Amino acid sequence: MKIEANNPNRKSWLEVDKNSDFPIQNIPFGVFLTRDDIITIGTRIGDYAIDLGTLHQLGYFKDIPLTDDIFLQDTLNDFIADGRITWRLVRNRIAEIFDKNNNNLKNNTKHRDRIIFTMDEIEMQLPVAIGDYTDFYASKEHATNVGSIFRDPENALLPNWLHIPIGYHGRSSSIIPSGRSVRRPKGQMKPAHLDTPIFGPSKLIDFELEMAFITTDVNKLGKTISIDEAKDYIFGLVLFNDWSARDIQGWEYVPLGPFLGKSFASTISPWIVTLDALKPFKTESPKQEPKPLPYLRQKGKKSYDIHLQAFIKPENGEETLVSNSNFKYMYWTMTQQLTHHTSNGCNVRAGDMMGSGTISGPTKESYGSMLELTWRGQNPIQLKDGSERKFINDNDTVILKGFCENEKIRIGFGECSGKLLAALE
Ligand code: CA
């Protein structure tokens, strides 16, 4: 089926700023509360939120096989479970409804008043009920940097890393939407100068610049999928800040991997940008040497050229750009991650979320965490207000942004923002 929604020449009758992340070619999906306190599934064009529940009630999706209440829900899980053909039909129809040359809704003021909201009239919610969350460790530069800092620069990359998309099962209950604040966690840690561990507020709070993809129902328990099929099960992507307490992590992670140093909070951007919308930005992923085992071997462009940025904004201060990375630096692709995840027969369901792992690029400016940017605090970063940061201070806000751009269009993710609050007494 043709993805008409991606037509780069289409213009909307809704006003869209040329630098907007949300032109009519994006058509992401999210969940929001309206000014009347009604929760609905929606999309966004420019700075307008569009209520898909009402649009459907008023008959704008007729001829598309959708249940009556598919958009009148507080999560996207059922819509995501409907599968790729339905996502395409709906995005194509939305593009048609808001096309500059279509007067149907454009000239119907009564309908417009019920369907279209400005962004300040709504409140974004978590878009999916996340069943399971898995975090990968897919950037070679990040794995090498962390291995150098925590272990041994001579053997930074462990022997399995070039053969397996390494991951661990994370905690989905503490994933929150952009805009919510995060409490500095307490935990057990062992500072180098002490012989025994202590318990208290973490002193080394970090962000991790990541993206996460959301799946539809992939496989039944005991079944697997092939690498060629994997892309059909990926609904879309969000920005993902996997907040980390490095002092808790450093003490607890051997031998079973991350636990409480990670599970206190992860922030996601609220609009899920579909894999379909990102199609024009497909690009090569890094060459894999040694060649992966046959079940992970793939050909062609399997990554996406998504510019990623991290900013730190002190309380009452201006934001400072601290990292400039790109999704394409990921060594293991999303399709390899998903194929590997199901290769033992583990079932992946609609609304599951897979984090990429911190995405660090080859240069110092492109490192995706404070741990790497300041090399565990050895080289502090100076912010615009003159203050220095080794890690994240109380009342700092960390903002992630991401966008794709070519000569014709820009497709972006908006913001993934969270403020760090002081630990509880
Ligand atoms: Ca992570």
Side-chain angles (χ1 to χ4, degrees):
M1 185 194 311
K2 203 156 177 241
I3 312 175
E4 305 285 353
N6 284 5
N7 176 359
N9 300 316
R10 191 193 302 273
K11 295 262 187 285
S12 174
W13 48 264
L14 282 171
E15 188 197 316
V16 182
D17 186 87
K18 67 174 182 357
N19 296 317
S20 173
D21 279 352
F22 303 99
I24 192 169
Q25 289 78 11
N26 190 336
I27 313 182
F29 293 94
V31 172
F32 59 82
L33 258 179
T34 69
R35 57 189 169 220
D36 307 317
D37 248 7
I38 292 168
I39 202 154
T40 184
I41 286 171
T43 187
R44 175 173 176 172
I45 296 177
D47 284 333
Y48 298 98
I50 293 154
D51 177 346
L52 296 182
T54 305
L55 206 56
H56 187 27
Q57 272 183 329
L58 293 172
Y60 287 88
F61 292 114
K62 66 169 188 280
D63 313 327
I64 299 179
L66 294 167
T67 55
D68 290 346
D69 64 347
I70 191 74
F71 296 127
L72 296 172
Q73 304 195 24
D74 55 6
T75 71
L76 277 157
N77 294 55
D78 286 354
F79 175 64
I80 293 173
D82 278 350
R84 195 152 79 135
I85 292 174
T86 305
W87 315 332
R88 282 195 179 163
L89 287 169
V90 168
R91 273 186 79 249
N92 285 348
R93 179 64 58 83
I94 295 169
E96 218 176 275
I97 297 167
F98 290 91
D99 187 306
K100 195 170 76 140
N101 301 314
N102 185 343
N103 291 329
N104 202 5
L105 175 62
K106 185 181 169 186
N107 292 344
N108 189 332
T109 324
K110 263 196 189 145
H111 283 187
R112 281 178 59 163
D113 285 349
R114 291 178 59 192
I115 289 165
I116 302 168
F117 298 84
T118 55
M119 289 306 294
D120 54 11
E121 290 177 309
I122 61 148
E123 191 186 305
M124 296 304 297
Q125 310 291 306
L126 207 60
V128 276
I130 301 159
D132 279 301
Y133 151 52
T134 302
D135 198 21
F136 285 92
Y137 193 47
S139 149
K140 191 176 174 185
E141 285 79 7
H142 173 69
T144 305
N145 290 339
V146 173
S148 302
I149 294 169
F150 276 153
R151 287 188 308 271
D152 170 15
E154 298 303 312
N155 297 293
L157 221 49
L158 290 170
N160 57 6
W161 199 92
L162 292 168
H163 300 279
I164 307 180
I166 297 288
Y168 75 99
H169 293 287
R171 184 83 197 161
S172 54
S173 65
S174 52
I175 298 177
I176 51 176
S178 178
R180 293 258 298 270
S181 43
V182 170
R183 181 69 63 185
R184 180 182 292 270
K186 290 180 187 171
Q188 195 181 127
M189 56 206 113
K190 197 185 84 59
H193 65 280
L194 297 179
D195 293 331
T196 51
I198 55 169
F199 183 87
S202 165
K203 292 192 170 60
L204 308 181
I205 295 293
D206 202 351
F207 65 85
E208 291 195 325
L209 176 55
E210 301 194 23
M211 298 199 77
F213 66 88
I214 291 127
T215 61
T216 183
D217 288 309
V218 179
N219 57 325
K220 294 226 158 63
L221 184 63
K223 303 278 188 196
T224 62
I225 56 160
S226 73
I227 184 100
D228 296 326
E229 296 170 286
K231 66 175 186 318
D232 298 340
Y233 300 104
I234 298 174
F235 175 61
L237 282 122
V238 290
L239 298 167
F240 188 71
N241 179 358
D242 191 22
W243 296 89
S244 299
R246 298 302 182 193
D247 36 9
I248 299 173
Q249 181 187 357
W251 172 234
E252 75 178 0
Y253 88 107
V254 178
L256 285 185
F259 185 33
L260 303 183
K262 300 279 188 175
S263 62
F264 59 96
S266 307
T267 308
I268 63 169
S269 54
W271 294 107
I272 306 176
V273 176
T274 61
L275 213 54
D276 276 352
L278 296 170
K279 211 172 171 195
F281 303 97
K282 283 188 112 166
T283 191
E284 304 282 344
S285 46
K287 190 172 165 30
Q288 296 184 319
E289 196 56 55
K291 245 187 183 174
L293 289 168
Y295 79 103
L296 291 175
R297 239 172 253 172
Q298 55 186 358
K299 285 198 191 77
K301 294 178 176 174
K302 296 294 174 206
S303 192
Y304 295 84
D305 186 5
I306 307 171
H307 302 278
L308 298 172
Q309 298 173 317
F311 300 81
I312 298 175
K313 184 183 172 303
E315 177 121 79
N316 306 318
E318 225 184 311
E319 59 188 46
T320 302
L321 176 67
V322 296
S323 175
N324 244 319
S325 188
N326 195 303
F327 188 70
K328 70 181 179 188
Y329 295 141
M330 269 169 64
Y331 186 87
W332 294 104
T333 64
M334 292 185 281
T335 40
Q336 287 176 321
Q337 291 171 340
L338 188 54
T339 306
H340 182 66
H341 206 305
T342 61
S343 64
N344 67 344
C346 169
N347 49 329
V348 175
R349 298 169 297 183
D352 284 359
M353 185 172 283
M354 316 265 164
S356 57
T358 307
I359 304 169
S360 293
T363 60
K364 280 186 179 169
E365 300 72 36
S366 62
Y367 291 170
S369 65
M370 293 300 272
L371 179 73
E372 298 162 86
L373 288 163
T374 69
W375 213 254
R376 204 180 201 170
Q378 282 174 40
N379 314 308
I381 287 177
Q382 192 166 46
L383 303 187
K384 281 184 183 166
D385 67 359
S387 62
E388 286 191 338
R389 291 293 181 282
K390 294 176 177 173
F391 286 90
I392 305 303
N393 288 1
D394 288 345
N395 299 314
D396 282 350
T397 300
V398 175
I399 303 160
L400 309 184
K401 295 181 187 176
F403 61 94
C404 311
E405 213 164 27
N406 61 24
E407 50 296 333
K408 288 202 154 156
I409 50 165
R410 172 190 168 106
I411 300 280
F413 291 79
E415 272 190 11
C416 171
S417 151
K419 181 177 177 179
L420 182 67
L421 303 180
L424 291 173
E425 287 300 312

